[in-house]
Amino acid sequence: MTIEILQTHPLLASCEAALAARYTVHKLHEQADKAGWLAANGARIRAHAGSGVQADLMDQLPNLEIIASFGVGYDNIDTAAARARNIRVTNTPDVLNDAVAELTIGLMISLARRIPQSDQFVRQGKWPGANFGLFSELTGKTVGILGLGRIGKEIAARAQAMKMRVVYFGRHHQPSVPYIYYDNLEDMARDSDWLVVIAPGGKGTEKIVSRQVLEALGPEGRIVNVARGTLIDEPAMVELLVNGGLGGAALDVFEKEPQVPAELLTLDNVVLSPHQGSATHQTRDAMGALLVANLEKHFAGEPLISAVV
């Protein structure tokens, strides 16, 4: 008998093909009567592939052994409930570090040099009648990184290549890194030209970038968020961007995706991206392969590659 696993959302085509070659895959999102299907079949499911798994779903899968998440963040999985039920949880770290770091620097350059706006300036035929203007560059600026984890370190290395000064704030001082540590986020924001947000989501970091932090960053400061929208006090950020209290924002994530505050759509000091941090063929294929590899390790009785719980 093959192992039966559950999907609750679509996954990358290459990942779905790899899963189908190894397991019997049930796609709950394609079922008209999801509750009825779970009641009839939930006891056969031994693994979940994807994310967004809460305690109520775990209760309907009494023989669930593992949740293999597609993504590095796992704040949308109730890990406490999984631990209580002895359900293992894995994620897909490391393989997306470069893609997210590249996009971060791309967003920073796009905001500093107004690349999206300059593209429209040319496309709209305005160039013959006027110059686009002068803006800023990254060279010589200080970037404060909120969350110097795997991806944060990749961003830091690329920022140094752009001749930026790197400082960081996190839960712990990391003596082995060559950057100045701040134990107070507001102080770091005050001393930085750029604030890059790349810490994990969840209740522990919700609105950690408060109005006070944004005001400390100030009218010449710029914020970049490639983590989770919930880390920033979004209404305060929008207000400060509108009234000039904050210099600019480059945002790949939002508090209530895919909804974006309407005010942001009208601002020239903002660059917007539809949660594209890891969205390359190379990275997404690697994420899918790691998800499948974690499942294979689990069912072979071997150590997991990237265990969360």
Side-chain angles (χ1 to χ4, degrees):
M1 293 179 64
T2 61
I3 294 167
E4 299 189 43
I5 71 171
L6 184 70
Q7 279 181 238
T8 49
H9 301 283
L11 292 171
L12 192 72
S14 60
C15 181
E16 290 199 354
L19 290 171
R22 294 162 172 80
Y23 310 110
T24 298
V25 180
H26 302 283
K27 298 182 178 181
L28 186 64
H29 51 285
E30 296 181 355
Q31 297 294 327
D33 180 8
K34 296 178 176 59
W37 190 94
L38 285 169
N41 303 286
R44 303 206 312 267
I45 300 300
R46 295 178 61 190
H48 180 281
S51 57
V53 183
Q54 302 302 317
D56 58 343
L57 179 58
M58 297 179 203
D59 288 339
Q60 297 175 81
L61 306 173
N63 295 308
L64 186 65
E65 300 171 20
I66 183 171
I67 299 166
S69 179
F70 186 89
V72 66
Y74 49 88
D75 49 299
N76 57 359
I77 297 173
D78 190 336
T79 53
R83 189 176 293 108
R85 292 161 175 78
N86 200 30
I87 298 170
R88 308 173 89 179
V89 179
T90 64
N91 64 343
T92 59
D94 294 322
V95 294
L96 48 68
N97 297 354
D98 290 329
V100 177
E102 285 182 9
L103 182 69
T104 303
I105 298 299
L107 288 170
M108 294 172 71
I109 297 172
S110 295
L111 179 59
R113 300 297 295 271
R114 297 292 201 273
I115 292 176
Q117 294 86 348
S118 66
D119 175 85
Q120 290 302 308
F121 183 81
V122 175
R123 290 176 188 272
Q124 293 167 8
K126 296 179 180 179
W127 193 11
N131 291 321
F132 184 61
L134 302 178
F135 298 97
S136 64
E137 56 193 80
L138 304 185
T139 300
K141 300 296 194 299
T142 295
V143 56
I145 299 178
L146 166 54
L148 195 71
R150 297 179 180 94
I151 301 173
K153 288 183 174 68
E154 293 293 341
I155 294 170
R158 286 163 175 78
Q160 283 193 309
M162 304 301 296
K163 301 181 181 178
M164 301 186 80
R165 173 176 176 263
V166 177
V167 299
Y168 72 101
F169 168 85
R171 289 174 294 181
H172 308 291
H173 177 221
Q174 301 183 45
S176 62
V177 300
Y179 316 122
I180 293 173
Y181 172 66
Y182 281 78
D183 60 7
N184 183 288
L185 181 56
E186 191 173 333
D187 288 344
M188 186 180 78
R190 186 173 293 108
D191 292 345
S192 298
D193 302 293
W194 291 81
L195 176 61
V196 171
V197 182
I198 186 57
K203 294 188 181 301
T205 55
E206 188 171 349
K207 289 184 169 52
I208 188 172
V209 182
S210 62
R211 174 182 290 273
Q212 291 73 25
V213 171
L214 294 166
E215 289 176 343
L217 190 57
E220 298 300 321
R222 296 171 173 86
I223 190 165
V224 184
N225 193 1
V226 288
R228 290 285 189 267
T230 54
L231 273 72
I232 298 178
D233 184 338
E234 192 170 82
M237 178 185 67
V238 171
E239 179 186 328
L240 291 167
L241 286 166
V242 170
N243 67 25
L246 182 62
L251 307 169
D252 186 45
V253 291
F254 305 88
E255 185 174 0
K256 298 177 180 178
E257 295 178 6
Q259 299 174 34
V260 177
E263 298 94 329
L264 295 179
L265 304 178
T266 65
L267 297 175
D268 281 341
N269 59 339
V270 173
V271 173
L272 305 172
S273 172
H275 204 147
Q276 292 291 101
S278 64
T280 70
H281 294 293
Q282 179 180 336
T283 290
R284 291 289 174 88
D285 283 342
M287 290 167 63
L290 181 51
L291 180 155
V292 174
N294 272 309
L295 288 175
E296 289 183 314
K297 291 291 187 182
H298 170 76
F299 290 116
E302 299 175 3
L304 299 174
I305 300 169
S306 50
V308 175
V309 175

